[in-house]
Amino acid sequence: MKTIMVFTLMLAFLSSNAQYKKDNTSAKEKTSTTKSKETMKKKILIIVSNANAIGPNNRRTGIFLPEVAHPYAEFSRAGYQIDFASLTGDTPYLDALNLASDPDNLAFLTGKGWEAMQKAGKLSDANIDSYDAVFIPGGLAPMADMPENALLKEVIRKTYERKAIVGAVCHGPVSLLNVKLSNGSYLVNGKNITSFTDEEENAYAVADVPFLLETALTKQGAKFHAAAPWSAHSIADGNLVTGQNPASAKGVAEKMVNILESKKK
């Protein structure tokens, strides 16, 4: 009788211990799954120019501060991972530091944004396929080193064709110029887009830029949409998002976030 009782107690202990291990394993798996979901953040690559001068008079330039700071703020608020890459891997330059009092601009300069941008990796070293979106801010700088950059064109083509998002603002859409898809057509052909307009350029830097961006994009078949000069204006056409000028940078980022969030559903 005593033997039977001991045997029964042992069975109960082993059963209880097995259930504990099962429950504990299940809890760990749930925790692991939760952590996995938490770490699967959307990833944004901001691609920046390395130019710091443009035109016959060597006008000083760089990335226009609000065109990188405002999108950075929107992507940060969405909880995305934000990385930077430049064409050469050298430290990029900033323009429009006189606008530093704007809250998002100031947060970029004094927080992690500008620090991360200074440490931008080289575009050729980036694992482009790991990003959910690429974004190209403007300033006059991209007009100097992005119109014909072969690697940049290939990065944008691949990103666009795999249905990830391509965003650009102001002079940043010069990165779309001369991008040819696998079928041989220009990426911008038939697309609804915008950029810094000819009217805006004629009152800003016509003597410094090598060409007028609106005209160049239109020649490659873009359906160009212009709003009033310096007004906020952004357009999404599928997975391509463009903005007209510095005031449009926030809107471009918001549209990119909306598209990315809609993909989760």
Side-chain angles (χ1 to χ4, degrees):
M1 184 70 179
K2 186 176 180 181
T3 302
I4 294 173
M5 288 180 64
V6 171
F7 182 71
T8 302
L9 287 171
M10 286 180 65
L11 281 176
F13 171 78
L14 290 171
S15 176
S16 175
N17 192 48
Q19 184 62 43
Y20 170 78
K21 287 182 178 179
K22 181 180 178 182
D23 292 343
N24 195 42
T25 300
S26 179
K28 285 181 178 179
E29 287 175 349
K30 287 180 181 178
T31 302
S32 177
T33 300
T34 301
K35 286 182 178 180
S36 177
K37 288 181 179 178
E38 289 175 350
T39 56
M40 288 175 63
K41 294 180 179 179
K42 296 292 186 181
K43 293 177 62 179
I44 312 292
L45 182 65
I46 300 179
I47 303 173
V48 293
S49 164
N50 289 107
N52 68 345
I54 189 171
N57 298 312
N58 287 316
R59 175 170 173 164
R60 306 307 291 177
T61 188
I63 303 304
F64 208 73
L65 175 58
E67 294 177 26
V68 64
H70 288 192
Y72 184 90
E74 293 303 316
F75 298 145
S76 296
R77 283 190 273 267
Y80 298 162
Q81 176 182 322
I82 309 166
D83 297 328
F84 286 89
S86 72
L87 300 189
T88 68
D90 297 316
T91 302
Y93 295 82
L94 274 176
D95 195 6
L97 292 174
N98 58 303
L99 302 176
S101 60
D102 170 273
D104 284 341
N105 292 347
L106 185 60
F108 181 84
L109 289 170
T110 59
K112 295 180 179 179
W114 174 227
E115 180 183 355
M117 185 170 156
Q118 289 181 85
K119 298 175 182 177
K122 193 173 182 180
L123 183 58
S124 59
D125 294 333
N127 179 12
I128 299 300
D129 290 343
S130 70
Y131 290 94
D132 300 283
V134 298
F135 172 72
I136 302 92
L140 290 174
M143 294 291 287
D145 62 1
M146 288 190 174
E148 301 288 347
N149 187 281
L151 174 61
L152 177 63
K153 307 306 169 181
E154 182 67 1
V155 164
I156 291 174
R157 180 191 68 78
K158 285 183 175 180
T159 302
Y160 181 80
E161 290 189 333
R162 66 181 174 86
K163 306 301 181 184
I165 300 170
V166 176
V169 68
C170 198
H171 290 92
V174 72
S175 61
L176 309 176
L177 198 65
N178 301 316
V179 175
K180 284 193 174 183
L181 301 178
S182 297
N183 64 10
S185 67
Y186 285 115
L187 184 153
V188 300
N189 185 37
K191 303 297 191 307
N192 295 293
I193 69 170
T194 189
S195 74
F196 204 57
T197 66
D198 290 358
E199 183 179 1
E200 288 168 322
E201 199 72 272
N202 282 321
Y204 180 65
V206 69
D208 303 295
V209 294
F211 54 85
L212 294 174
L213 185 53
E214 175 187 345
T215 295
L217 290 168
T218 302
K219 284 182 178 179
Q220 292 190 357
K223 294 180 180 178
F224 197 92
H225 299 265
W230 302 103
S231 63
H233 177 54
S234 56
I235 297 175
D237 189 337
N239 58 325
L240 180 64
V241 186
T242 50
Q244 181 171 320
N245 48 39
S248 311
K250 177 181 172 67
V252 170
E254 288 175 337
K255 285 180 171 62
M256 291 176 69
V257 170
N258 287 339
I259 297 170
L260 286 168
E261 292 304 304
S262 70
K263 289 185 176 184
K264 290 182 178 180
K265 298 174 183 177

